[in-house]
Amino acid sequence: MQNVRFIKVGGKEEAATVMLERMRKELDEGLRVLGLATGSTMIPVYEAWAKSDLDFSEVISFNLDEYVGLGADNPNSYAWFMNHHLFSHKPFKETYIPDGTAEDLTAECDEYEALLRDAEIDLQFLGVGENGHIAFNEPGTPFSSTTHVTELADSTLGVNSQYFEDRSAIPNTALTMGIASILSAKKIVLLAFGEKKRSALQELVKGQKTTDYPITSLLDHPDVTIVTDLEGIAE
Ligand SMILES: N[C@@H]1[C@@H](O)[C@H](O)[C@@H](COP(=O)(O)O)O[C@@H]1O
């Protein structure tokens, strides 16, 4: 696992400070294309960036995923999340999020993948699902996958439905960058906090690639940083 570096933090707030400095360094070094994630894990990071003097006005961003059927006006959409937590505070040169309301979802995925390939992400941020998913690549997704329409796992619907009115309100399909799309980023930073994420990180540190745990696909990538508050993972 020489490609995977661990940063142990005391909690989400410390992680946000570390990620603020990391972002500053990346921007100073000329980062132009940034891969962004959603989820509660990312909120303190975006809050820190939003309050900072960081300048994203020359940066192009790509988000990982979006629920099918939810547009930017829906507070449960990832487009809304990004506008609310980051884009309304910091202007970017361009921002891209898969369009979950597109009429032809397959065409939308193909276009998104083409844009991504063209742009080449310098740094991709990731969270991880309790079942080891990255973006919405659920267990069983081939590591060769590109941007696609996916069916959410029952466990993901259970966890993520906490943000919806009730379980029946959460879409059971989504558009997501594939695992190969994610691995094409030059650098990857994954954040994982709390005991619920322990088993996913443990699968990664075992060092065995398996599609049962999409997070283990990161073992194929040359430059991965894991930021976590979990004791006993990095040793
Ligand atoms: N599609 C997103 C993932 O990209 C994210 O990593 C995960 C973790 O969410 P949280 O940060 O809230 O634990 O949630 C969703 O399923």
Side-chain angles (χ1 to χ4, degrees):
M1 290 221 305
Q2 280 161 355
N3 57 328
V4 183
R5 195 165 71 94
F6 286 86
I7 301 179
K8 167 78 175 63
V9 290
K12 283 186 186 182
E13 294 308 321
E14 187 188 339
T17 308
V18 175
M19 291 303 99
L20 175 62
E21 290 323 309
R22 171 74 188 252
M23 203 59 236
R24 190 184 305 285
K25 184 168 174 280
E26 295 284 346
L27 288 166
D28 285 350
E29 288 173 3
L31 173 138
R32 284 290 169 265
V33 186
L34 182 59
L36 296 171
T38 51
S40 58
T41 304
M42 293 304 295
I43 293 175
V45 175
Y46 294 152
E47 212 172 77
W49 292 358
K51 285 195 302 212
S52 75
D53 58 348
L54 295 185
D55 180 4
F56 293 95
S57 60
E58 291 303 315
V59 173
I60 299 174
S61 73
F62 284 90
N63 262 84
L64 291 167
D65 46 12
E66 180 61 282
Y67 289 105
V68 167
L70 303 194
D73 55 343
N74 186 316
N76 278 314
S77 71
Y78 287 161
W80 190 95
F81 177 103
M82 291 309 302
N83 287 333
H84 181 73
H85 292 290
L86 187 60
F87 301 151
S88 60
H89 307 279
K90 287 285 178 190
F92 277 65
K93 187 175 180 187
E94 287 163 39
T95 61
Y96 294 95
I97 300 181
D99 180 2
T101 66
E103 222 161 273
D104 184 339
L105 295 172
T106 309
E108 170 64 14
C109 290
D110 292 347
E111 277 166 36
Y112 201 76
E113 185 67 26
L115 285 169
L116 272 176
R117 294 284 157 172
D118 228 37
E120 298 186 353
I121 293 181
D122 292 306
L123 172 63
Q124 175 69 57
F125 281 89
L126 290 179
V128 62
E130 291 174 29
N131 65 355
H133 74 223
I134 51 174
F136 270 138
N137 292 285
E138 298 285 20
T141 307
F143 289 178
S144 59
S145 55
T146 55
T147 305
H148 62 285
V149 184
T150 181
E151 211 164 294
L152 302 184
D154 276 347
S155 60
T156 300
L157 292 170
V159 174
N160 289 12
S161 63
Q162 62 180 304
Y163 303 110
F164 290 76
E165 234 165 82
D166 56 58
R167 169 89 184 226
S168 67
I170 181 169
N172 54 15
T173 50
L175 305 185
T176 184
M177 277 192 205
I179 293 177
S181 332
I182 293 169
L183 295 182
S184 69
K186 291 174 197 149
K187 298 177 198 170
I188 293 177
V189 174
L190 180 145
L191 296 95
F193 306 114
E195 285 301 325
K196 288 180 174 170
K197 304 292 172 76
R198 183 179 290 278
S199 58
L201 287 195
Q202 273 169 341
E203 289 299 323
L204 178 74
V205 297
K206 272 189 201 165
Q208 295 287 329
K209 280 179 282 172
T210 165
T211 55
D212 291 346
Y213 288 91
I215 189 175
T216 63
S217 63
L218 300 183
L219 293 164
D220 274 341
H221 192 278
D223 188 339
V224 178
T225 304
I226 308 285
V227 184
T228 185
D229 62 348
L230 289 170
E231 302 285 345
I233 291 288
E235 294 85 50

